Amino acid sequence: MRSIWNGAISFGLVSIPIKLVNATESHTVSFRQIHTEDGGRIRYRKVCELEDREVTQAEIGKAYEDADGTIIPITDEDLAHLPLPTAKTIDIVAFVPADRIDPLQMENAYYLAASGAPAAKPYTLLREALKRSRKVAIAKFALRGRERLGMLRVVDDVIAMHGLLWPDEIRVPQGVAPDVDVTVRDKELDLADALMDTLGEVDLQDLHDEYREALEEVIAAKAAGEAPPEAPEPAPGGKVLDLMAALEKSVRAAKQSRGEEVGEEAGEPAEGAEEAEEAEEAEVRHLPRGKRAGAAAKKTTAGKQAPAAKKTAAKKTTAAAKKSTSKAQSSRSAKKTASTAKGAAKKTPAKKTASRKRTA
């Protein structure tokens, strides 16, 4: 791989000569601009506006335009003598845990190659130190006319460097989040977790650019004088779906695609979800009406149990009345018996007294 920058890594008092190599490449299909009437190429020519003539690349240099329009030429020699220690050095300033770096800051990626045999030992030392510490190195370096921030980490047996944006280049996400109050239920989170678990992980090596492949098919067909392949029918959209039903359907589809059995616990539709799927003509799918159904069931059960409850209550009342009547009758009978006995007792002593008088 061709190096794009030569310099050294400054690691305390250790200097490691390195070469900077691009770690990524673009596979984007490029287009040319043409004249649509005759297919002629549209080209851009570099013309000097003072002389009104086209100039070659060797005649082109750099300059800075001041606020008042003044042109200040800047030569390569001027840039080579910038009063910066990072002009030809990747200067490591700190070592921090990898999770301290916000992915929003990351830009282009580069490989750092040891430049010559003498650089192998200090290069390997830095690589192994990064591995053992499980940290990344934060560094400053100058490239393409400006000083940049970088992060050094180990990839396999190579030290890689990611260009980083300066912290003040990251925008604050003001006004990006939804500005309405939304309540997410635990059941919805559980279904989302189930969907994430079902989809599982993926080997990034299996992912590919389907858009580029389709575009290459179109180009090949046009080059062969054939009709380009037709695009598939777009998926219907524009409807507001019930989130719960959509999550449940997604979980079922993901499980079925992986050959797993789909049961009640594996994402069967909740009560009311089938009704929502049948209502394809509606714009909004209502949430499952489980509570209403439960209330109706309770009402129906209560209605059925009411007559039986009334009959049972009537029987209990009748039995209580009979028992009360029986007690009353028993009480009256007992009082009558007691009264009769008392009267008999009074009569007996009177007769006995009369008999004694006659005898006397």
Side-chain angles (χ1 to χ4, degrees):
M1 290 183 283
R2 185 174 64 88
S3 63
I4 61 173
W5 184 89
N6 294 333
I9 299 175
S10 176
F11 177 31
L13 297 178
V14 178
S15 181
I16 311 171
I18 57 98
K19 296 179 180 179
L20 197 67
V21 177
N22 280 322
T24 61
E25 58 186 8
S26 175
H27 292 164
T28 303
V29 177
S30 299
F31 293 103
R32 303 291 187 185
Q33 290 186 326
I34 62 168
H35 188 198
T36 55
E37 291 187 4
D38 54 20
R41 284 279 304 276
I42 303 297
R43 298 180 182 273
Y44 292 94
R45 291 182 171 86
K46 297 179 180 180
V47 177
C48 174
E49 63 181 18
L50 297 179
E51 299 181 11
D52 194 21
R53 69 175 180 88
E54 186 176 357
V55 297
T56 63
Q57 185 64 36
E59 299 176 87
I60 299 175
K62 299 181 182 71
Y64 175 79
E65 184 175 0
D66 207 349
D68 59 358
T70 303
I71 300 297
I72 304 172
I74 302 293
T75 65
D76 292 338
E77 186 177 357
D78 295 331
L79 297 176
H81 292 85
L82 285 174
L84 283 175
T86 57
K88 281 293 181 180
T89 304
I90 298 174
D91 187 19
I92 295 177
V93 297
F95 293 89
V96 299
D99 58 6
R100 286 272 302 275
I101 306 302
D102 191 333
L104 284 174
Q105 287 185 258
M106 293 186 182
E107 287 191 303
N108 297 333
Y110 309 94
Y111 290 137
L112 303 181
S115 182
K121 178 73 174 181
Y123 183 97
T124 304
L125 172 64
L126 176 59
R127 182 191 68 196
E128 295 305 314
L130 287 172
K131 278 185 180 180
R132 190 168 72 171
S133 67
R134 297 183 179 179
K135 292 183 178 181
V136 297
I138 303 301
K140 288 183 176 182
F141 67 103
L143 182 65
R144 298 190 178 99
R146 69 184 184 96
E147 188 175 56
R148 299 165 183 257
L149 200 60
M151 178 190 75
L152 278 64
R153 68 185 184 97
V154 178
V155 177
D156 295 333
D157 289 330
V158 176
I159 299 176
M161 182 173 69
H162 296 268
L164 299 178
L165 296 171
W166 296 99
D168 60 358
E169 293 179 313
I170 304 297
R171 290 181 174 179
V172 178
Q174 190 75 27
V176 177
D179 58 354
V180 295
D181 292 333
V182 178
T183 301
V184 178
R185 296 179 295 170
D186 289 339
K187 187 174 181 181
E188 293 170 336
L189 284 174
D190 292 341
L191 281 172
D193 290 340
L195 178 58
M196 292 166 63
D197 293 339
T198 303
L199 291 176
E201 298 183 359
V202 65
D203 186 354
L204 296 181
Q205 299 295 330
D206 296 335
L207 302 179
H208 55 280
D209 188 349
E210 296 182 5
Y211 178 84
R212 177 172 59 87
E213 292 175 356
L215 185 57
E216 289 173 348
E217 290 181 9
V218 171
I219 294 173
K222 298 274 286 186
E226 301 173 356
E230 295 184 1
E233 290 291 333
K239 295 180 180 178
V240 179
L241 300 177
D242 170 16
L243 180 58
M244 290 291 291
L247 286 170
E248 290 166 345
K249 191 172 182 180
S250 299
V251 171
R252 293 199 306 273
K255 287 182 176 291
Q256 289 171 353
S257 67
R258 297 174 60 175
E260 298 181 14
E261 294 184 2
V262 179
E264 184 175 355
E265 295 181 356
E268 284 295 324
E271 183 180 352
E274 294 181 358
E275 297 177 3
E277 291 181 358
E278 292 176 359
E280 292 291 341
E281 300 299 327
E283 287 188 0
V284 178
R285 295 184 178 184
H286 297 286
L287 291 173
R289 293 177 290 180
K291 292 184 179 180
R292 294 184 183 178
K298 288 181 180 179
K299 189 175 181 181
T300 303
T301 306
K304 290 181 179 179
Q305 291 177 351
K310 288 181 179 178
K311 289 181 180 179
T312 303
K315 288 181 179 179
K316 289 182 179 179
T317 304
T318 304
K322 288 181 178 180
K323 192 173 181 180
S324 176
T325 303
S326 177
K327 285 183 178 180
Q329 290 176 350
S330 298
S331 177
R332 285 196 297 269
S333 177
K335 287 180 179 180
K336 187 175 181 181
T337 303
S339 176
T340 304
K342 190 175 181 180
K346 288 180 179 180
K347 288 179 181 180
T348 301
K351 288 181 179 180
K352 193 172 182 180
T353 303
S355 175
R356 286 177 180 175
K357 285 181 178 181
R358 286 192 207 103
T359 304

